[in-house]
């Protein structure tokens, strides 16, 4: 079997899909995208295409190493996301050709289903208690929300009190045993992060996510010493080498690699194994589309330390289209009692509705994240 063609589709709300074709008629799908940089990643995919045409799609490990190592310059969001989508599609081809789900080829599943959480609220947390209760009523056992709005490197205590009030209201609304993940989104700098972490301690959070930016992770030591809440991080790290120092430092409890950013199934499988050796949990980042979610579930299926999966059904970013719109076998993501089933079909286990993908690609998107500014006019972390 030989790879014959790579085709990319920029589709609403903010996704990029990749189809890889072979001379035997088997096709694979991947989702290589950086939110807000879809056109850039699309170009990177087609630069890597030059190497792939005419090659055997089964040689995934070798292709991964060539695409990562042989270009001399390596790593980063764009390169690793392009590589990730290609990797997903190659695994999809191999699974379909052999009539097996990808997790079977990775050693076999260790679980039948995995807990999922649902996003509540939008970018600016406000009046989210009713939303939280609705999500719990639908069967979810865990939720996540943005924990604060923009915050200066050192800010006034009213910002802290507002964040705490939001979490306190949610905890009161949904009771003591529903998991609450609070995403600081890298909006908070070291001086305020340790304050927030300590003040939120009484609300028994599932985790706090990106309490500081990954590039400021030396601050995690002090933050970890201010609270017992598990610390999660990793959506803006792109390889096992990026995660290496995070694990060796020992202050992160949950790794959140993104299967569409961190080198795909091949790389995230290795990151998960590294985390297991440090007794660190896995919770893949996935505010993206159905292909990315299907890829995450393949890794969740074979990773002992995976405990919860992000998913974007109904997320506030999904304007115009949602994850089920682009697949024909919509039942594959079977949500029940706060869990989603592991797909059992060949490859990724999803059937992409190619005609609908082509139709929506005519509209495409130019999604950009908002630019926030502080009261003094300086740019704020979003």
């Amino acid at each position: 079997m030989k790879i014959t063609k790579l085709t990319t589709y920029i589709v609403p709300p903010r996704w990029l899909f990749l189809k890889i074709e072979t001379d035997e008629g088997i096709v694979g799908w991947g989702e290589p995208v950086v939110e807000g940089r879809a056109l850039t990643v699309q170009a990177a995919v087609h630069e890597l295409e030059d190497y792939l045409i005419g090659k055997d799609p089964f040689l995934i490990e070798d292709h991964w190493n060539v695409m990562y190592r042989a270009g001399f310059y390596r790593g980063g969001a764009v390169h690793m996301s392009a590589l990730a989508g290609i990797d997903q599609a190659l695994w999809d081809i191999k699974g379909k050709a052999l009539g097996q789900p990808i997790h079977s080829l990775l050693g076999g599943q260790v679980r039948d289903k995995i807990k999922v959480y649902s996003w509540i609220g939008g970018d600016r947390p406000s009046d989210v208690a009713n939303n939280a209760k609705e999500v719990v009523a639908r069967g979810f056992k865990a939720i996540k929300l943005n924990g604060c709005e923009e915050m200066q490197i050192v800010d006034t205590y009213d910002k802290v009190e507002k964040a705490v009030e939001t979490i306190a209201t949610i905890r009161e609304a949904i009771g003591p045993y529903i998991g609450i993940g609070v995403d600081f989104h890298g909006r908070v700098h070291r001086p305020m992060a340790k304050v927030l972490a300590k003040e939120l301690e009484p609300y028994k959070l599932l985790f706090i996510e990106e309490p500081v930016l990954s590039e400021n992770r030396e601050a995690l030591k002090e933050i970890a010493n201010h609270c017992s809440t598990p610390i999660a991080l990793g959506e803006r790290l792109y390889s096992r080498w990026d995660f290496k120092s995070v694990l060796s430092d020992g202050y992160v409890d949950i790794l959140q690699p993104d299967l569409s950013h961190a080198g795909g199934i091949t790389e995230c499988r290795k990151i998960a194994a590294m985390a297991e050796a440090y007794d660190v949990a896995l919770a893949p980042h996935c505010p993206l589309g159905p292909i990315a979610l299907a890829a995450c579930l393949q890794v969740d299926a074979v990773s002992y330390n995976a405990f919860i999966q992000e998913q974007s059904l109904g997320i506030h970013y999904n304007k115009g289209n949602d994850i089920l719109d682009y697949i024909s076998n919509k039942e594959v993501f079977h949500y029940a009692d706060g869990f989603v089933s592991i797909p059992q079909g060949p490859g990724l286990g999803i059937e992409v509705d190619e005609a609908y993908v082509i139709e929506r690609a005519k509209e495409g998107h130019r999604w950009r994240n908002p630019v926030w500014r502080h009261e003094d006019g300086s740019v704020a972390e979003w």
Side-chain angles (χ1 to χ4, degrees):
M1 189 188 300
K2 304 297 181 187
I3 297 169
T4 57
K5 187 178 181 181
L6 281 72
T7 308
T8 50
Y9 303 95
I10 293 179
V11 296
R14 56 179 193 158
W15 303 331
L16 173 65
F17 294 166
L18 164 67
K19 181 178 74 170
I20 297 183
E21 299 177 55
T22 68
D23 59 358
E24 294 189 12
I26 298 173
V27 305
W29 288 88
E31 193 169 333
V33 69
V34 174
E35 302 92 299
R37 299 289 185 270
L39 287 166
T40 314
V41 179
Q42 182 182 47
V45 168
H46 290 294
E47 286 180 331
L48 293 170
E49 173 184 34
D50 294 347
Y51 163 74
L52 293 165
I53 298 298
K55 298 295 196 304
D56 178 354
F58 274 31
L59 303 179
I60 299 172
E61 189 73 31
D62 186 58
H63 296 328
W64 198 98
N65 277 292
V66 170
M67 289 186 289
Y68 179 79
R69 300 175 189 277
F72 188 77
Y73 298 102
R74 61 191 65 178
V78 172
H79 177 204
M80 297 304 288
S81 297
L83 202 166
I86 292 170
D87 181 82
Q88 293 167 10
L90 293 178
W91 275 109
D92 194 27
I93 290 169
K94 191 165 191 173
K96 288 173 179 175
L98 298 176
Q100 294 290 321
I102 293 166
H103 54 75
S104 178
L105 305 182
L106 295 174
Q109 66 190 62
V110 300
R111 57 177 51 84
D112 303 316
K113 59 186 179 180
I114 189 166
K115 185 182 286 188
V116 288
Y117 62 80
S118 179
W119 268 89
I120 62 170
D123 281 324
R124 298 182 179 271
S126 60
D127 193 26
V128 291
N130 286 336
N131 193 352
K133 287 194 288 187
E134 291 169 5
V135 166
V136 172
R138 296 204 307 268
F140 287 94
K141 297 178 180 178
I143 61 173
K144 189 172 88 170
L145 75 157
N146 283 318
C148 62
E149 300 179 33
E150 62 267 43
M151 190 169 283
Q152 277 277 20
I153 188 167
V154 176
D155 216 323
T156 51
Y157 216 81
D158 60 319
K159 297 277 189 73
V160 176
E161 289 178 346
K162 184 176 181 181
V164 172
E165 181 183 5
T166 299
I167 303 305
T169 303
I170 292 171
R171 177 55 78 201
E172 182 179 359
I174 63 177
Y177 303 123
I178 299 296
I180 301 175
V182 175
D183 188 357
F184 288 6
H185 219 249
R187 294 171 181 169
V188 184
H189 297 270
R190 176 176 177 162
M192 301 308 296
K194 60 184 181 180
V195 174
L196 273 171
K198 184 177 181 180
E199 292 294 322
L200 291 172
E201 177 90 356
Y203 302 101
K204 297 179 173 62
L205 302 179
L206 187 66
F207 57 80
I208 53 174
E209 180 174 336
E210 276 198 326
V212 292
L213 291 163
S214 296
E215 55 262 40
N216 297 328
R217 58 182 175 267
E218 67 278 356
L220 294 174
K221 178 179 180 180
E222 189 170 6
I223 295 167
N225 288 332
H226 275 77
C227 70
S228 61
T229 306
I231 294 173
L233 181 146
E235 70 189 67
R236 287 185 269 194
L237 301 176
Y238 309 111
S239 72
R240 74 199 92 144
W241 296 280
D242 288 350
F243 282 98
K244 182 167 64 172
S245 61
V246 171
L247 289 168
S248 63
D249 287 347
Y251 301 113
V252 172
D253 306 290
I254 303 164
L255 290 195
Q256 299 174 305
D258 189 305
L259 270 286
S260 283
H261 299 334
I265 292 168
T266 297
E267 185 70 351
C268 288
R269 171 75 161 127
K270 295 174 182 178
I271 292 167
M274 288 171 62
E276 185 182 353
Y278 283 88
D279 206 21
V280 169
L282 180 75
H285 180 255
C286 189
L288 295 169
I291 304 170
L293 177 57
C296 287
L297 294 175
Q298 304 299 324
V299 173
D300 291 331
V302 299
S303 301
Y304 175 79
N305 51 333
F307 80 104
I308 201 166
Q309 177 59 57
E310 181 173 26
Q311 50 83 44
S312 76
L313 187 64
I315 198 171
H316 52 288
Y317 298 124
N318 292 355
K319 304 296 186 184
N321 280 110
D322 215 322
I323 62 172
L324 299 181
D325 296 344
Y326 290 103
I327 57 175
S328 302
N329 58 335
K330 302 181 190 302
E331 73 287 349
V332 67
F333 299 131
H334 177 64
Y335 294 86
D337 300 322
F339 289 79
V340 66
S341 299
I342 301 298
Q344 297 300 316
L348 288 168
I350 57 172
E351 298 168 8
V352 175
D353 186 343
E354 185 173 358
Y356 188 73
V357 170
I358 292 170
E359 180 62 30
R360 296 302 287 139
K362 294 175 183 176
E363 177 179 325
H365 69 81
R366 288 186 66 85
W367 186 87
R368 298 291 185 268
N369 61 262
V371 176
W372 286 5
R373 292 190 179 275
H374 295 296
E375 189 176 359
D376 64 5
S378 61
V379 69
E381 296 284 355
W382 172 75

